[in-house]
Amino acid sequence: MRFNSLEGRIATLFLALIIVVQVLGLLVIQQGIERNARASIATELDNGEKVFSKLLEQSAQTQRFSAQVLARDTAFVQAVGNGAANDRATIESALQNSARRAHADLTMLIDGERKVSAASGIAMRSSIEHLVLGLLDRAEQADGASAIAVVDNRPVQIVVMPVKAPITIAWVAMGFAIERELAVDMQQLSALDVAILARAPDGRWTPVASTLAPALMPQVVSDLHALPGKSARSIEIDIGGSPYSARLVQIGPDAGVLLARSIDAATAQYVRLERTLVALTVIGILVAGVAAVLTAKRVAQPLRELAATARRLERGDYRGQINLERNDEIGALAKAFDSMRDGIAKREHEIGRLAYWDSLTGLPNRAQFVLLLGEALTEAGRAGHAAFVLMMDLNRFKHVNDVMGHDFGDELLRQVAARLKLHMAAADPSAHVARLGGDEFAVLLSAVNVERAQSVAAGILQVLEVPISLDDQTVDIGAGLGIAAFPAHGAKAEELLSMAEVAMYQAKQRNDGAILYEAAMDTASAKSLGLLSELRNAIERDEFRLHLQPKLRLDTGEVVGAEALVRWVHPERGNVFPDEFIPFAEQTGFIRVLTRWVLERSAALCRQLAEQGIHLKISVNLSTRDLLDQDLPAKFGEILERHKVAAQSFCLEITESAIMDDPVRAQLTLERLHAMGVDLSIDDFGTGYSSLAYLKRLPVDELKIDKSFVLNMEHDSGDTKIVRSTIDLGHNMGLRVVAEGIESEAVWRLLAALGCDQGQGYFMSRAMPGDELAAWIAAWVPPV
């Protein structure tokens, strides 16, 4: 079981959680045991202190009884009462006999004058006498009193009883040394170790009797030096290398008892419990570990089986069943996976069926054609004969699709496919016809020469030139066709297709039927691609420049507008004129990007001029592709909004040919632009082929007379008649008329006399950079 596997991670997670929980629980229990042990020891010491006090009290009671027996002895009381000298011997004898019977270490008689009259046993000390005298009053009141004193470094329990006859005539005092027997009794009752201590004159504690080994007492006494004069004080001491919890209890001014409990002995049962818990924890972890591994295997094993099935699916093997009889989520996943496998198998089969055939026309698709071409090239190479690829692209299909709808376009493609199959079945039954995509078709010819290939291509074009009737509509279709040959032009399938495609595009550009591939075509294609790449870079590198040519009123000479023109400042080729790149931009569709750039810069310049008090109408040329862009009005509106420029500040110029290329879509675009408030102008009027009936329906505001009619009108009466009639036509239609190409004052005045509204040309000014226009307007002086 690897750690980075799901099984390893599940098992590790479970084990980690179990170990953490068990260890935390063990730590909590250990802390509880420690607290309980300490509390138990403290309780034992509290109880021990009480028990020892009781033992002392019981000992004192016993001793008081012994003293009481003597104090109430009739003979003794009579002898004390007589006080005669001959009774002194009787008193001393009684004291000695009582001391012997009671095992007293000291007996004493204090007379009525509170003086010691007789004593036996241990030597008298002034401290004992003083202590005894201090107990007399308490003894008389309580019928007895006791206290503890230290004599010869030994604690002695002193009891005092009054001698009454019937009033107090004397007091009897007895002293009992506190010996080891009391400590042993205490140990038996409480399981505590006991040490009886006396304080020496120098203030140090001295052991008197103990249940501990004598050799251990010096260390115990040493540990007590920090506690002089304190009672009931709990301490931690080390006795013989074992920790003890102890309590020093003072039983007299200079006497004390040390109660000690071995911590190890007190916690022995807890230690056994702790070991049992540790053992149970280890066993629990082991059991949980086994359970975690089994659980992880139960979770991961089905997933491994599903992964193995997925790998088989990846290899395309859809056989076998997933047998996981489980009622949980994994079982549901297995059932879903099995259902997915069946679904993929069915779809894979369907995809395999459709992968190589075009569903619309029933012809082989590009993938199948490439396979067929590859097999044909292999056979042709082995047999040493040629093979040809004919690729064709339908003319005007996009226009038909846009105008008539996609359903109409699909049916048109089916009709073209049927024609091609029927024709090739008669022309060359061994040929393969395929639809490569869109409106592109291809034919594979094997074992023929170039003349035969060109003849078949001509026949295909002839078949496609016949109009197709669909839904009461007749469509002229036609095609451009390119031919590539094996082995002359290439040895690989994709290579031949690429070359046939290059030849096909050349045929469409030249409108020249079928064209056989030539190496020079690739050079032209590469050059076109290079120019397109340079145009894109020019936008990104800001290499284009906006130029403007002023437009003036011919009757007053006032500057009323300007035509926006674009110039390309190439970093290597210098200034590139529009005639060199505009046609290519229109052909490739890059003209839309360029138009947007011109509109953007013109709007910015218009705003700048307005801020200087110069209000002009900027004219911008639109191409065919611009008119077919249904998003153009929205894009232009966004530019106007961003630069805060009114739509009335622009006039968009459209050529007649651009309008007539797709009149329906062009009119829709123009109507939306005009609704925004933009002026529209027909540029190069008179050079196109549009009808006046159609033009009058367009929402235009201006006609622009082509410069080819204006340049020579001073010397050519025919041009003058055309210009006059164009001006009259425009005015009759309510349009503004503008003449371009004015290069002399005479032409200016002639146009003004004919009623032309505005004009532009080299006589007034050539196109100039946009930032120079304001200065030019300030310096402009119209002709008198």
Side-chain angles (χ1 to χ4, degrees):
M1 183 173 63
R2 293 175 289 110
F3 174 75
N4 59 353
S5 65
L6 177 62
E7 182 179 339
R9 290 177 180 176
I10 293 175
T12 301
L13 177 61
F14 278 130
L15 281 174
L17 289 175
I18 292 167
I19 290 172
V20 168
V21 171
Q22 293 283 5
V23 170
L24 288 176
L26 187 59
L27 290 176
V28 171
I29 291 172
Q30 282 181 328
Q31 290 178 356
I33 288 174
E34 181 73 16
R35 286 194 300 270
N36 289 337
R38 295 285 181 182
S40 176
I41 291 173
T43 302
E44 287 187 49
L45 291 174
D46 288 339
N47 293 334
E49 184 178 350
K50 295 175 183 178
V51 169
F52 191 80
S53 298
K54 289 293 184 182
L55 285 176
L56 284 177
E57 181 64 25
Q58 289 176 3
S59 177
Q61 289 289 347
T62 302
Q63 293 162 5
R64 280 200 296 270
F65 178 76
S66 298
Q68 187 180 43
V69 171
L70 176 60
R72 293 181 181 179
D73 184 83
T74 304
F76 180 76
V77 171
Q78 186 176 3
V80 172
N82 293 333
N86 57 355
D87 288 329
R88 184 174 181 82
T90 302
I91 292 173
E92 291 179 352
S93 175
L95 290 175
Q96 290 174 356
N97 291 333
S98 295
R100 185 170 55 252
R101 287 193 301 269
H103 304 288
D105 296 293
L106 170 68
T107 56
M108 186 184 303
L109 179 65
I110 298 92
D111 60 20
E113 296 179 358
R114 301 197 178 203
K115 293 182 180 180
V116 178
S117 61
S120 67
I122 60 177
M124 285 292 294
R125 296 287 187 273
S126 59
S127 60
I128 295 178
E129 184 177 353
H130 180 73
L131 175 64
V132 171
L133 295 176
L135 294 174
L136 297 181
D137 292 335
R138 185 152 55 94
E140 184 175 1
Q141 293 172 0
D143 196 24
S146 64
I148 295 175
V150 174
V151 180
D152 296 332
N153 290 329
R154 295 170 60 196
V156 178
Q157 190 169 33
I158 306 294
V159 296
V160 177
M161 290 296 293
V163 180
K164 296 182 178 181
I167 62 172
T168 302
I169 58 175
W171 289 269
V172 174
M174 286 187 175
F176 299 87
I178 299 176
E179 300 290 350
R180 186 174 183 276
E181 286 76 8
L182 184 62
V184 171
D185 291 342
M186 179 65 191
Q187 185 185 40
Q188 291 175 349
L189 287 172
S190 64
L192 298 175
D193 284 305
V194 181
I196 299 172
L197 307 172
R199 193 189 304 274
D202 60 359
R204 294 175 62 85
W205 290 106
T206 302
V208 175
S210 174
T211 59
L212 296 168
L216 301 177
M217 291 310 298
Q219 179 63 39
V220 174
V221 172
S222 177
D223 291 340
L224 293 177
H225 287 168
L227 302 169
K230 302 260 181 105
S231 64
R233 180 66 179 269
S234 296
I235 58 173
E236 297 283 340
I237 59 175
D238 184 82
I239 302 177
S242 298
Y244 277 72
S245 183
R247 180 170 297 179
L248 178 61
V249 181
Q250 279 193 271
I251 56 176
D254 294 311
V257 63
L258 181 70
L259 304 176
R261 183 69 165 113
S262 172
I263 295 177
D264 290 340
T267 60
Q269 60 180 342
Y270 296 110
V271 170
R272 287 193 297 273
L273 175 60
E274 184 177 344
R275 289 174 180 169
T276 302
L277 290 174
V278 170
L280 291 175
T281 298
V282 172
I283 293 171
I285 289 174
L286 293 176
V287 172
V290 173
V293 171
L294 293 177
T295 302
K297 285 183 177 296
R298 179 171 173 78
V299 172
Q301 182 63 31
L303 296 181
R304 280 196 291 268
E305 294 181 16
L306 294 178
T309 302
R311 286 190 290 272
R312 290 199 302 273
L313 293 178
E314 182 183 11
R315 295 192 298 268
D317 182 5
Y318 302 102
R319 297 169 298 174
Q321 296 291 326
I322 301 174
N323 298 316
L324 289 176
E325 299 298 331
R326 296 176 57 154
N327 296 321
D328 55 9
E329 288 80 358
I330 294 179
L333 175 62
K335 292 177 183 178
F337 204 91
D338 197 40
S339 176
M340 181 187 72
R341 178 188 61 80
D342 293 339
I344 291 176
K346 293 177 182 177
R347 285 190 292 274
E348 184 80 7
H349 177 74
E350 183 66 14
I351 290 171
R353 187 182 70 81
L354 298 176
Y356 299 104
W357 295 91
D358 177 49
S359 59
L360 180 65
T361 62
L363 294 175
N365 61 13
R366 186 182 185 92
Q368 176 74 339
F369 188 77
V370 170
L371 291 176
L372 294 172
L373 180 56
E375 294 172 359
L377 296 183
T378 301
E379 179 63 26
R382 187 165 44 248
H385 56 66
F388 291 85
V389 175
L390 281 59
M391 185 181 293
M392 65 210 74
D393 183 87
L394 303 182
N395 295 331
R396 297 178 295 279
F397 176 75
K398 184 178 183 303
H399 174 71
V400 171
N401 210 33
D402 291 342
V403 174
M404 305 302 295
H406 292 289
D407 292 340
F408 188 93
D410 289 346
E411 183 59 31
L412 179 62
L413 291 174
R414 282 191 283 268
Q415 292 285 348
V416 170
R419 281 195 183 185
L420 288 175
K421 285 193 290 186
L422 183 62
H423 174 74
M424 293 310 302
D428 188 343
S430 63
H432 295 285
V433 181
R435 180 190 175 208
L436 303 184
D439 59 340
E440 288 186 356
F441 293 84
V443 175
L444 169 60
L445 300 175
S446 299
V448 297
N449 56 27
V450 64
E451 289 79 11
R452 176 57 181 163
Q454 289 177 324
S455 173
V456 171
I460 290 173
L461 292 176
Q462 187 176 359
V463 167
L464 294 179
E465 287 294 335
V466 177
I468 296 176
S469 297
L470 291 173
D471 297 336
D472 299 327
Q473 297 287 336
T474 300
V475 181
D476 292 323
I477 195 70
L481 192 149
I483 307 171
F486 167 86
H489 300 143
K492 296 181 180 179
E494 289 290 353
E495 187 179 5
L496 278 180
L497 280 173
S498 177
M499 293 173 178
E501 186 175 20
V502 170
M504 178 189 72
Y505 283 123
Q506 287 291 323
K508 290 180 71 68
Q509 289 179 7
R510 299 179 190 177
N511 196 21
D512 195 19
I515 293 182
L516 185 65
Y517 172 80
E518 296 176 1
M521 295 177 184
D522 265 340
T523 303
S525 178
K527 182 179 179 181
S528 296
L529 289 176
L531 181 57
L532 180 59
S533 177
E534 287 190 79
L535 282 172
R536 288 173 178 159
N537 290 336
I539 286 286
E540 295 174 1
R541 297 171 184 170
D542 198 23
E543 295 176 1
F544 290 112
R545 299 290 182 270
L546 182 68
H547 282 55
L548 293 167
Q549 187 177 34
K551 293 173 67 175
L552 299 89
R553 286 186 55 169
L554 295 180
D555 56 348
T556 64
E558 178 188 359
V559 180
V560 293
E563 181 178 4
L565 304 168
V566 64
R567 299 290 185 266
W568 183 7
V569 182
H570 195 280
E572 297 176 0
R573 292 187 282 174
N575 291 328
V576 181
F577 291 99
D579 291 345
E580 298 181 43
F581 65 88
I582 292 296
F584 179 76
E586 291 179 343
Q587 178 185 342
T588 58
F590 184 78
I591 193 66
R592 289 185 178 181
V593 178
L594 199 55
T595 299
R596 186 176 178 85
W597 182 91
V598 173
L599 290 172
E600 189 82 40
R601 295 301 176 90
S602 298
L605 180 61
C606 188
R607 179 66 180 176
Q608 294 173 9
L609 293 173
E611 290 174 352
Q612 300 176 47
I614 301 174
H615 300 280
L616 302 178
K617 190 179 290 290
I618 306 297
S619 299
V620 177
N621 290 282
L622 297 183
S623 70
T624 301
R625 290 183 180 267
D626 292 323
L627 285 180
L628 298 181
D629 183 4
Q630 298 299 297
D631 294 330
L632 177 63
K635 294 174 183 177
F636 185 40
E638 188 270 334
I639 291 173
L640 294 175
E641 175 66 23
R642 187 167 59 256
H643 292 284
K644 301 295 187 291
V645 176
Q648 291 77 9
S649 299
F650 275 85
C651 178
L652 302 180
E653 299 183 356
I654 311 100
T655 61
E656 294 177 74
S657 58
I659 297 172
M660 297 311 298
D661 194 62
D662 190 343
V664 176
R665 291 179 68 181
Q667 184 161 352
L668 289 174
T669 303
L670 292 174
E671 286 175 351
R672 290 174 60 194
L673 288 169
H674 195 263
M676 295 169 58
V678 180
D679 279 4
L680 300 175
S681 173
I682 302 297
D683 194 15
D684 300 337
F685 186 79
T687 61
Y689 50 85
S690 58
S691 67
L692 294 176
Y694 176 72
L695 287 179
K696 73 178 182 179
R697 297 199 302 269
L698 294 177
V700 296
D701 305 277
E702 178 182 282
L703 284 183
K704 200 169 186 182
I705 304 172
D706 186 67
K707 63 182 178 181
S708 60
F709 302 112
V710 175
L711 289 173
N712 296 318
M713 63 179 295
E714 182 184 359
H715 309 289
D716 189 329
S717 59
D719 286 346
T720 302
K721 293 177 182 178
I722 292 174
V723 170
R724 178 186 290 111
S725 57
T726 301
I727 293 172
D728 293 340
L729 173 64
H731 287 164
N732 290 334
M733 295 176 67
L735 304 178
R736 181 175 62 248
V737 180
V738 180
E740 59 178 348
I742 301 174
E743 296 188 357
S744 66
E745 183 178 351
V747 173
W748 170 308
R749 297 193 180 282
L750 182 56
L751 287 168
L754 295 175
C756 186
D757 300 300
Q758 298 176 13
Q760 65 185 88
Y762 289 168
F763 172 68
M764 292 81 89
S765 173
R766 293 176 178 269
M768 67 187 74
D771 54 4
E772 298 179 5
L773 181 62
W776 182 88
I777 293 174
W780 163 248
V781 178
V784 179

